Amino acid sequence: MNIAIVGTGYVGLVSGTCFAEMGLHVTCIDLDNQKIESLQNGQIPIYEPGLEEMVLRNYRAGRLKFTTDLSSCLDDVEVVFSAVGTPPDEDGSADLQYVLAVARTFGQNINKYTVLVTKSTVPVGTAKKVKQVIQEELDKRHLNIPFDVASNPEFLKEGNAIKDFMSPDRVVVGIESERAQRLMTKLYRPFLINNFRVIFTDIPSAEMIKYAANSMLATRISFMNDIANLCELVGADVNMVRKGIGTDSRIGPKFLYPGCGYGGSCFPKDVKALIKTAQKNGYEMKVLRAVEEVNEAQKSIIFHKLSKHYNGKLSGKTIAIWGLAFKPETDDMREATSLVTIKLLLDAGCTIKVYDPVAMPECQHKIGNAVLYSTEMYETVFDADALLLLTEWKEFRMPLWEKIKTAMKSPIVFDGRNIYDIKEMHEAGFEYYCIGR
């Protein structure tokens, strides 16, 4: 089976590579010539565990190809996935120009029945616009070529994307015809031979499922952050609270970990887009507005704890930061707490030393030399007045505290992810601040 995927960003490259791993012949398309040339030379533009080896293996086997021209492969494929970006506009709504551009090229060049599947996260109603654009292009050509549109939202977690794709909890597919359903069933059956977990829905429902899922997860995070902040005020331990409510089968334990705010390419963007979709339809998402408000405040909570410790006198202090990516196992810094924290520290007159196992090149791309980059985690803390942990990379879990204590000006740790034990930190001679305990 031959398919094409437009967009070689995170979703497109992971999806295309995993399809190729299952034996499909996949052509990945991107308008960025430099990115395509890099991929053809075996250079992977994103960090995801296991992805580079899989890309190289399937490229060498001839199952994975890269090109800048969608029209050149349309005669040979049955399905085209659109995985292009949908960045937020200034008002928070999703920018659909790239999605509609793919639809336009599709309509201008198909010569046989083909399905265009939107994998990008798009607002409800986007499929109607896509279908209309395709039909307009076919009308211009005076052709009556059958086609279908479908919605197949992705549920990949950065840092675990390959496993998520190869062994998904579920696959959601919004379709309009039995013909499209048969084709999508054929496409996904190899991944789900033992338990076919494809949920077929109408297209608007499939589009909504993605936003609703991410918004629910974001809601759980902000709820727990709100609870954590109250726990500090009343003397409760949020870890005990989390365990107590997580054992309730109606609630469950996942996404109940408090911290210093969520980030990334999905949750912030999708929450904003769903709020905007509701506005356009005359409805206000009051819960999601609160989720967003809590999260924005939470991103600065570690800075405020630091500032309170020093009575607001931070100018001239040297601050060490462990973790720049919005979460472990990725170099993605979009909407990362580290960016908010760094800006507040710079405005306060601090010198900042940072270390992240993967994301430092991305940090340099985003903020340049506004901070000092360390080559390893212990170098970061040398002569520092305080250490802030913002991303819970595994190598930060069990550091050599005696070595750190000797290197720092003052042994103070601000743990934005609650990965250390309070008693152990105090026994090691550190002043220790965390979230909700």
Side-chain angles (χ1 to χ4, degrees):
M1 189 173 181
N2 297 332
I3 67 171
I5 296 184
V6 186
T8 59
Y10 190 86
V11 174
L13 187 57
V14 170
S15 300
T17 304
C18 289
F19 276 128
E21 183 76 3
M22 295 301 284
L24 279 74
H25 285 77
V26 183
T27 303
C28 290
I29 299 104
D30 201 294
L31 294 178
D32 187 333
N33 281 296
Q34 187 174 354
K35 184 184 285 189
I36 292 299
E37 288 179 8
S38 295
L39 286 164
Q40 289 171 339
N41 292 323
Q43 298 171 356
I44 311 303
I46 58 174
Y47 176 80
E48 176 65 31
L51 181 61
E52 183 174 358
E53 298 90 337
M54 194 178 284
V55 169
L56 295 175
R57 179 168 61 250
N58 285 281
Y59 182 68
R60 289 166 184 158
R63 291 188 298 269
L64 189 60
K65 299 178 181 177
F66 302 102
T67 181
T68 58
D69 185 10
L70 171 60
S71 62
S72 65
C73 65
L74 281 175
D75 287 344
D76 300 320
V77 301
E78 298 175 75
V79 178
V80 175
F81 284 90
S82 176
V84 294
T86 54
D89 279 334
E90 291 182 6
D91 64 357
S93 60
D95 184 350
L96 297 177
Q97 62 171 310
Y98 305 113
V99 171
L100 298 180
V102 172
R104 194 165 294 110
T105 302
F106 182 88
Q108 290 169 349
N109 292 281
I110 57 169
N111 294 304
K112 61 176 179 57
Y113 176 80
T114 314
V115 180
L116 179 59
V117 183
T118 301
K119 205 152 188 62
S120 308
T121 302
V122 295
V124 178
T126 299
K128 288 184 179 179
K129 297 178 181 178
V130 167
K131 190 173 183 179
Q132 182 180 353
V133 167
I134 295 170
Q135 191 59 57
E136 287 173 357
E137 295 302 327
L138 289 173
D139 291 343
K140 291 177 185 177
R141 296 168 64 193
H142 306 290
L143 294 174
N144 186 26
I145 298 171
F147 71 93
D148 267 308
V149 297
S151 174
N152 177 212
E154 53 84 19
F155 298 98
L156 305 179
K157 298 186 292 291
E158 293 191 38
N160 201 46
I162 291 174
K163 184 179 183 296
D164 287 344
F165 198 98
M166 301 298 278
S167 302
D169 293 329
R170 81 290 199 200
V171 175
V172 174
V173 182
I175 40 85
E176 290 182 329
S177 74
E178 290 185 9
R179 188 174 183 181
Q181 181 169 337
R182 287 195 300 271
L183 197 54
M184 296 303 289
T185 299
K186 177 183 176 183
L187 186 65
Y188 276 110
R189 185 175 284 119
F191 295 89
L192 304 162
I193 288 174
N194 296 325
N195 185 5
F196 193 66
R197 299 177 298 280
V198 176
I199 301 171
F200 285 105
T201 72
D202 58 86
I203 292 178
S205 295
E207 292 172 332
M208 178 61 82
I209 285 169
K210 169 66 174 180
Y211 281 108
N214 278 352
S215 295
M216 172 57 79
L217 297 175
T219 298
R220 287 170 71 95
I221 293 171
S222 280
F223 173 78
M224 284 310 299
N225 283 335
D226 236 3
I227 292 294
N229 295 338
L230 181 57
C231 281
E232 288 189 21
L233 297 174
V234 300
D237 185 334
V238 74
N239 274 354
M240 295 181 183
V241 174
R242 172 180 60 79
K243 291 174 184 176
I245 66 175
T247 51
D248 187 324
S249 61
R250 297 166 301 175
I251 297 172
K254 294 184 177 179
F255 281 81
L256 293 183
Y257 291 85
C260 50
Y262 63 76
S265 62
C266 293
F267 287 7
K269 177 171 71 74
D270 292 355
V271 168
K272 284 182 173 65
L274 194 52
I275 290 171
K276 193 63 183 179
T277 296
Q279 279 183 342
K280 290 179 178 177
N281 287 273
Y283 187 76
E284 183 181 359
M285 303 291 281
K286 296 179 182 179
V287 172
L288 287 188
R289 284 200 175 279
V291 167
E292 191 175 41
E293 182 180 337
V294 169
N295 190 58
E296 287 307 305
Q298 202 72 10
K299 288 182 178 182
S300 60
I301 194 167
I302 291 296
F303 170 81
H304 291 306
K305 286 176 181 287
L306 175 71
S307 181
K308 183 178 179 181
H309 175 84
Y310 282 111
N311 297 314
K313 298 175 182 178
L314 290 176
S315 182
K317 300 293 183 185
T318 297
I319 308 300
I321 292 179
W322 280 355
L324 297 167
F326 87 93
K327 62 178 284 188
E329 302 300 332
T330 181
D331 62 349
D332 195 343
M333 287 185 64
R334 284 173 288 185
E335 302 281 348
T337 295
S338 62
L339 293 174
V340 175
T341 305
I342 287 170
K343 184 179 186 308
L344 290 168
L345 291 171
L346 289 173
D347 290 345
C350 296
T351 298
I352 307 168
K353 300 168 71 178
V354 303
Y355 174 73
D356 187 287
V358 171
M360 289 199 291
E362 180 63 17
C363 186
Q364 195 148 29
H365 173 72
K366 284 186 175 292
I367 65 172
N369 294 320
V371 299
L372 302 174
Y373 297 92
S374 302
T375 57
E376 50 90 31
M377 58 188 283
Y378 295 108
E379 179 188 338
T380 321
V381 301
F382 182 76
D383 220 20
D385 292 287
L387 167 62
L388 317 185
L389 181 130
L390 302 182
T391 313
E392 64 277 29
W393 285 92
K394 290 177 183 175
E395 68 183 80
F396 300 150
R397 297 290 177 92
M398 297 184 69
L400 300 172
W401 289 117
E402 282 301 317
K403 181 176 181 178
I404 292 168
K405 184 179 177 182
T406 301
M408 295 182 71
K409 278 184 187 175
S410 48
I412 308 170
V413 174
F414 293 81
D415 180 0
R417 300 298 174 184
N418 283 3
I419 68 172
Y420 303 126
D421 181 87
I422 294 175
K423 184 179 178 182
E424 289 180 3
M425 293 301 294
H426 289 163
E427 288 177 350
F430 283 83
E431 290 187 74
Y432 177 68
Y433 296 86
C434 51
I435 308 291
R437 295 186 290 168

